[in-house]
C-alpha cells in the first residue's frame, strides 16, 4: 500500500542534502518513504492525502524520557515555585510510590504519557528505568517500557536508595545482579553522574559493566553543576551526554571531537528555574544537539516536544531551523538511528502535519496545538 502526501506547503525533510522543499509531495509505501520532490512530479500512489498547503515535518524523536513511575510531586513543584532550590532529592519520593504500584497501574500511566506524546507529534521515544532501584523493580519497569518502545534504558544508577547501606554496596548491585536482570530488556545503560548521585569512578564502573553486558552508554551529565559526566561520555564513546547545562570549554571540545550528541532538556530548566544550556555555544563549536522533553514527575513533567522546541528558540539561542533539526534528526542521532528523524527515501514513514505553513510556527506560536495529523510507518494514528 502506498500513500501520496500532496500539496505540502513546506516539507522539512531533515535530509542534509535537501533539507526543505517548498510546494512538495511525499510518497510512503509499506511503511517507508520512497520518494520526495515537487508537487506534481510524484510517481503516483494507491491513496492520496491533500495536505492543502500545510507544513510537514518528521515525527519528533524524544531521546530522553522517564515514563514508568507512580505518584505525584506537585508539593515539590510548589515549593520550587516558592523559592526552594532543586537538588534532585525528590527522586526518592517517586521511587517509594513506584515500588508500591502494580504492574497494571505503571503500564496504564506509561500508556497515557506515550499517547500524550504521540498527539503532540512524537513518534519515537526513549524510556528509562530508574524509579525502582531494586533488582525486581528495575526489571519490571524496563519490561513495561519495552511494551512501548525498543529504545529502553537501564538507569539503575539514578540515585542511591535510602534503604541501601552505602553507595559502594549499591554500585555492586547495579553492576551485578541488577544488570543481569535488566540487560535483556534494555538497549542502553545510563548513570546520573552528579554531586549527590554517582561520582566519576562509580559512573565509569557502571557504564563499563553495562557496555560489557552489551548495552550502549549514555550519561546524565553536568545538570546541577560542573562535573565529570561530559568527559566520561567522551571517554567511553557514549551516544549522548544529556542536560549539558554547565560546561567548560574543555567539555565543549570533548563533545565535538568525540562526536557525542549534546541532548538538551529545556523543560527541566523551565520547571526548576535553573539556567538554560547555551545551545548557541555548542552549535558554533560543531557539536550535534538534540532536544528532548526529560518527561518525569519531578523536574520536567511535560510530554510536549513542541513546547521544548519553543523554549530552545526563546531561551537557548537556537534558530527555528536548528530547533526542528534537534527535535528530529538530532534525537535520532542521540539514539544512533538512521531510520527516523528524517523524511527521505528509506526513512520510516513517520510524519507530522502542522496546522501552519512552516515549522517556524512551533516557536512563533508557543502553546498552540499545531499538530493536526500524526502518521507512523505510513499509518495515521492521530
Amino acid at each position: 500500500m502506498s500513500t501520496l502526501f500532496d500539496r505540502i506547503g513546506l516539507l522539512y525533510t531533515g535530509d542534509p542534502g535537501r533539507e526543505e522543499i517548498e510546494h512538495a509531495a511525499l510518497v510512503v509505501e509499506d511503511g517507508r518513504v520512497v520518494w520526495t520532490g515537487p508537487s506534481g512530479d510524484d510517481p503516483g500512489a494507491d491513496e492520496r492525502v491533500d495536505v492543502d498547503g500545510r507544513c510537514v515535518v518528521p515525527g519528533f524523536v524524544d531521546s530522553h524520557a522517564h515514563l514508568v513511575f507512580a505518584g505525584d510531586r506537585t508539593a515539590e513543584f510548589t515549593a520550587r515555585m516558592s523559592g526552594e532550590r532543586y537538588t534532585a532529592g525528590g527522586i526518592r519520593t517517586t521511587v517509594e510510590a513506584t515500588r508500591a504500584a502494580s504492574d497494571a497501574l505503571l503500564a496504564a500511566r506509561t500508556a497515557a504519557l506515550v499517547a500524550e506524546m504521540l498527539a503532540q507529534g512524537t513518534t519515537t521515544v526513549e524510556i528509562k528505568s530508574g524509579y525502582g532501584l531494586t533488582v525486581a523493580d528495575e526489571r519490571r519497569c524496563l519490561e513495561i517500557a519495552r511494551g512501548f518502545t525498543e529504545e529502553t534504558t537501564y538507569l539503575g544508577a539514578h540515585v542511591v536508595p535510602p534503604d541501601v547501606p552505602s553507595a559502594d554496596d549499591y554500585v555492586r548491585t547495579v553492576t551485578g545482579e541488577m544488570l543481569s536482570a535488566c540487560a535483556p530488556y534494555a538497549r542502553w545503560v545510563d548513570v546520573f553522574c552528579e554531586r549527590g548521585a554517582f561520582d566519576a569512578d562509580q559512573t565509569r564502573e557502571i557504564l563499563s559493566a553495562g557496555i560489557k553486558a552489551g548495552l550502549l552508554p549514555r550519561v546524565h551529565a553536568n545538570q546541577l553543576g560542573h562535573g565529570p559526566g561530559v568527559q566520561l561520555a567522551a571517554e567511553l564513546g557514549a551516544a549522548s551526554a544529556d542536560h549539558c547545562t554547565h560546561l567548560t570549554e574543555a567539555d565543549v571540545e570533548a563533545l565535538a571531537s568525540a562526536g557525542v550528541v549534546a541532548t538538551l532538556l529545556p523543560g527541566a530548566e523551565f520547571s526548576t528555574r535553573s539556567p538554560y544550556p547555551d545551545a548557541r555555544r555548542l552549535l558554533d563549536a560543531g557539536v550535534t544537539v538534540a532536544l528532548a522533553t526529560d518527561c518525569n514527575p519531578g523536574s520536567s513533567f511535560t510530554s510536549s516536544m513542541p513546547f521544548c522546541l519553543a523554549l530552545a528558540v526563546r531561551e537557548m539561542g537556537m534558530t527555528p531551523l536548528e530547533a526542528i533539526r534537534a527535535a528530529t534528526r538530532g534525537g535520532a542521532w542521540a539514539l544512533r538511528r538512521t531510520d527516523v528523524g528524517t523524511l527521505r527515501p528509506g526513512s520510516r514513514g513517520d510524519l507530522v502535519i502542522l496546522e501552519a505553513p512552516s515549522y517556524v510556527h512551533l516557536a512563533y506560536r508557543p502553546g498552540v496545538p499545531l499538530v493536526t495529523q500524526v502518521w507512523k510507518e505510513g499509518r495515521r494514528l492521530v
Side-chain angles (χ1 to χ4, degrees):
M1 175 65 70
S2 59
T3 303
L4 165 66
F5 296 85
D6 198 13
R7 294 211 308 143
I8 300 169
L10 176 65
L11 173 62
Y12 173 74
T13 69
D15 184 348
R18 194 179 189 186
E19 203 164 20
E20 298 181 14
I21 306 173
E22 294 183 343
H23 309 297
L26 175 149
V27 176
V28 177
E29 184 172 3
D30 297 330
R32 297 277 170 171
V33 177
V34 295
W35 182 88
T36 62
S39 184
D41 291 351
D42 62 90
D46 299 318
E47 297 181 348
R48 178 178 178 271
V49 175
D50 185 354
V51 179
D52 194 20
R54 297 176 178 88
C55 179
V56 171
V57 300
F60 299 124
V61 180
D62 189 341
S63 61
H64 184 125
H66 306 250
L67 304 187
V68 185
F69 66 86
D72 179 271
R73 282 159 65 183
T74 50
E76 177 188 327
F77 177 78
T78 301
R80 284 203 307 273
M81 296 305 103
S82 301
E84 291 189 17
R85 183 171 175 270
Y86 176 69
T87 61
I91 291 170
R92 293 178 177 87
T93 303
T94 302
V95 168
E96 183 178 355
T98 302
R99 288 178 178 179
S102 67
D103 288 3
L105 174 61
L106 292 175
R109 291 286 299 270
T110 304
L113 288 169
V114 170
E116 280 186 12
M117 289 178 160
L118 183 67
Q120 296 171 92
T122 296
T123 52
T124 302
V125 61
E126 179 258 16
I127 302 177
K128 303 178 189 295
S129 67
Y131 291 128
L133 308 188
T134 66
V135 173
D137 285 305
E138 284 294 292
R139 183 206 58 76
R140 75 180 179 123
C141 286
L142 281 166
E143 189 173 9
I144 289 166
R146 206 55 179 269
F148 298 94
T149 182
E150 60 202 83
E151 300 296 345
T152 50
T153 299
Y154 169 48
L155 184 60
H158 204 179
V159 294
V160 177
D163 52 354
V164 174
S166 72
D168 288 341
D169 287 333
Y170 188 61
V171 170
R172 280 192 289 271
T173 299
V174 169
T175 58
E177 182 184 3
M178 188 182 286
L179 175 60
S180 296
C182 291
Y185 302 98
R187 182 176 183 226
W188 302 94
V189 58
D190 196 350
V191 178
F192 188 32
C193 182
E194 291 284 352
R195 184 176 58 254
F198 298 91
D199 64 22
D201 290 340
Q202 293 164 340
T203 298
R204 184 182 289 105
E205 181 179 353
I206 293 164
L207 292 177
S208 296
I211 293 167
K212 187 175 180 180
L215 304 181
L216 301 171
R218 53 201 320 108
V219 188
H220 278 64
N222 300 53
Q223 177 188 7
L224 305 179
H226 292 112
V230 163
Q231 295 293 331
L232 285 167
E235 172 191 327
L236 296 171
S240 69
D242 298 23
H243 287 289
C244 294
T245 310
H246 301 275
L247 301 177
T248 64
E249 286 303 319
D251 292 331
V252 175
E253 183 180 340
L255 291 168
S257 61
V260 177
V261 176
T263 300
L264 307 184
L265 310 168
E269 280 73 40
F270 177 86
S271 181
T272 61
R273 286 182 170 166
S274 300
Y276 285 91
D278 187 350
R280 181 81 270 132
R281 178 188 184 194
L282 290 162
L283 290 164
D284 288 348
V287 178
T288 298
V289 170
L291 289 173
T293 63
D294 191 19
C295 184
N296 75 83
S299 61
S300 184
F301 202 8
T302 180
S303 56
S304 175
M305 285 288 279
F307 173 66
C308 291
L309 187 151
L311 284 178
V313 172
R314 173 62 180 83
E315 303 289 349
M316 300 195 321
M318 300 182 82
T319 67
L321 176 58
E322 289 166 339
I324 192 69
R325 280 180 192 148
T328 54
R329 192 172 80 215
W333 286 0
L335 295 174
R336 293 185 174 166
R337 296 280 294 271
T338 58
D339 61 326
V340 296
T342 59
L343 292 171
R344 56 185 175 185
S347 299
R348 204 165 71 179
D350 297 357
L351 60 94
V352 174
I353 301 177
L354 302 176
E355 192 59 63
S358 167
Y359 57 80
V360 176
H361 283 236
L362 293 167
Y364 178 47
R365 305 193 68 206
V368 177
L370 296 178
V371 173
T372 185
Q373 292 184 29
V374 181
W375 295 68
K376 185 170 182 176
E377 296 185 84
R379 294 184 298 114
R380 183 176 177 180
L381 300 182
V382 175

